[in-house]
Amino acid sequence: MTIPAQMPLPRVPNSLTAPVLRWGVMGTGWIAERFVESLQQSTRQQVVAVGSRSREAAATFSKRFGLRTGHGSYQELVADAEVDVVYIATPHNAHYPCAMLALDAGKHILVEKPLALNVTEALQIAQLAERRGLFCMEGMWTFSLPRFDVVRQLLQSGALGELRSVIADHGERFASSHRIMRPELAGGPLLDLGIYPIALANAVLGIPERVHAIGQPAPSGVNGQTSIVLGHAQGNQSAIHTTLFSDTPTTATIAGTKATLTLPGPFFGPGDVVLTEAGGHRRIRYTEPAIGHRSLHYQAAEVARRIAAGERSSPRRPLQASIDTLAVMDEVRRQTGVAFAEELR
């Protein structure tokens, strides 16, 4: 069997066609800014309010993006009757309490990745969402992108033959003053960067049966870089690396017996998909603009469609997949001696 004559086309609907929801944003940092910009540029979604621990920060953010309300606390935001769904964009160690706060207030939630610090927290979020009958999804934008619908179709079609390995990397160099260097904010590369290749490996080869990890500390006390080997069913393997010391290729490769699929960096965002026949005899390519976080709107549109349909989760990023990814990261941290302040308390 040879590879297909051409790449499949993505089946992701236009985000402008998604039912309109009223969004509240919890947090005023960099990712919150990118999220609101993307929704305002590419959807009909209404971002109506923002909540911050600082009333001044909320007012500044609200004015910048033309929002109706800037709330000076998270409690005020989740009590806002004009908000249908809350996007949680707080620091990692605040995801769990903020998610529980929003769910307790009866709000649907999209939680910026990671869903929580660990499996225990994630399970409590999932259980509360289930009890309240509310939508809950981890904001891992990767799996809602058109690029990954092309990948999904290729894997489902068997174009790669029997899948054998995943090789994926995500490294960026950060200044010593960046929040990722701060232990009290659950810093280190794993939750910010390493979550992407681990999630990809799980999605392609299934939950690993074995995890082997080594780490190196950064001067601030957080983990600086980690290399991971995952052993999946049937002896299949993933090789994963993540670091905050250096800029690395951020590419991903999915290798099968008949073909190899390559995602040029950054593999977790919009970009090309390359399928190469075994032996290198023939190659086909899917191309889309590598527009980065301007594509965050796809996950918001997915959320809006699911909520409007009365659904409580999305097959693009099921809650169980988020929990399974955290389980791998929990084991990596156990092996590398990394514990967060909230866990130590």
Side-chain angles (χ1 to χ4, degrees):
M1 175 183 175
T2 59
I3 62 174
Q6 59 186 20
M7 284 287 194
L9 295 176
R11 303 162 298 184
V12 177
N14 188 320
S15 294
L16 288 169
T17 66
V20 178
L21 295 183
R22 298 170 300 179
W23 291 77
V25 176
M26 193 178 287
T28 58
W30 185 89
I31 192 64
E33 294 174 347
R34 304 290 86 71
F35 182 81
V36 175
E37 286 172 347
S38 183
L39 266 61
Q40 291 182 338
Q41 292 169 0
S42 300
T43 76
R44 296 184 299 121
Q45 302 302 307
Q46 297 177 7
V47 184
V48 298
V50 64
S52 172
R53 293 170 297 180
S54 160
R55 192 167 299 278
E56 181 181 0
T60 300
F61 190 99
S62 179
K63 181 178 180 180
R64 175 181 173 185
F65 293 103
L67 310 188
R68 175 181 55 79
T69 307
H71 293 292
S73 73
Y74 301 148
Q75 290 81 0
E76 289 180 16
L77 176 68
V78 300
D80 190 333
E82 298 299 313
V83 171
D84 300 316
V85 54
V86 174
Y87 170 60
I88 297 172
T90 55
H92 299 324
N93 58 336
H95 286 186
Y96 167 73
C98 288
M100 299 296 277
L101 179 70
L103 291 170
D104 266 329
K107 302 299 186 185
H108 303 291
I109 56 173
L110 173 66
V111 186
E112 180 56 38
K113 55 84 185 163
L115 180 64
L117 291 183
N118 52 47
V119 166
T120 300
E121 289 186 352
L123 286 171
Q124 291 181 28
I125 292 171
Q127 290 162 3
L128 182 56
E130 176 67 23
R131 288 198 305 271
R132 294 299 179 91
L134 295 166
F135 182 92
C136 175
M137 187 174 89
E138 179 184 41
M140 179 162 286
W141 62 315
T142 300
F143 296 110
S144 296
L145 295 172
R147 181 189 206 181
F148 273 79
D149 190 60
V150 173
V151 173
R152 194 175 291 116
Q153 291 181 70
L154 288 170
L155 296 179
Q156 291 173 348
S157 73
L160 277 72
E162 296 178 21
L163 301 177
R164 288 289 180 241
S165 57
V166 172
I167 303 169
D169 155 80
H170 188 183
E172 296 180 37
R173 183 184 181 279
F174 291 91
S176 60
S177 59
H178 194 278
R179 63 159 180 83
I180 203 170
M181 297 292 189
R182 295 171 61 181
E184 72 274 18
L185 294 180
L190 198 60
L191 299 185
D192 269 287
L193 314 180
I195 188 171
Y196 287 113
I198 292 172
L200 177 67
N202 276 11
V204 173
L205 295 177
I207 303 169
E209 299 171 349
R210 291 172 294 164
V211 177
H212 302 283
I214 58 172
Q216 179 184 18
S220 68
V222 302
N223 171 257
Q225 69 173 346
T226 301
S227 294
I228 307 161
V229 176
L230 303 178
H232 303 269
Q234 301 175 327
N236 296 328
Q237 300 168 18
S238 296
I240 291 166
H241 175 255
T242 185
T243 181
L244 48 71
F245 291 139
S246 315
D247 293 327
T248 60
T250 67
T251 58
T253 298
I254 303 171
T257 55
K258 296 179 180 178
T260 297
L261 185 153
T262 304
L263 301 172
F267 78 86
F268 49 86
D272 291 4
V273 180
V274 181
L275 186 66
T276 304
E277 191 175 26
H281 303 299
R282 201 160 64 83
R283 177 176 297 157
I284 57 174
R285 179 184 290 263
Y286 161 81
T287 297
E288 68 181 22
I291 58 174
H293 289 85
R294 281 183 284 170
S295 292
L296 284 169
H297 62 88
Y298 286 110
Q299 66 177 348
E302 171 68 9
V303 170
R305 290 189 182 93
R306 299 295 172 181
I307 291 175
E311 300 176 38
R312 299 295 172 250
S313 63
S314 166
R316 291 291 170 260
R317 187 61 176 167
L319 276 176
Q320 189 59 53
S322 301
I323 292 166
D324 292 340
T325 300
L326 279 167
V328 174
M329 296 200 293
D330 284 358
E331 177 59 18
V332 169
R333 290 195 297 112
R334 188 192 69 80
Q335 292 185 21
T336 55
V338 175
F340 301 128
E342 288 75 12
E343 297 168 327
L344 295 173
R345 287 197 292 267

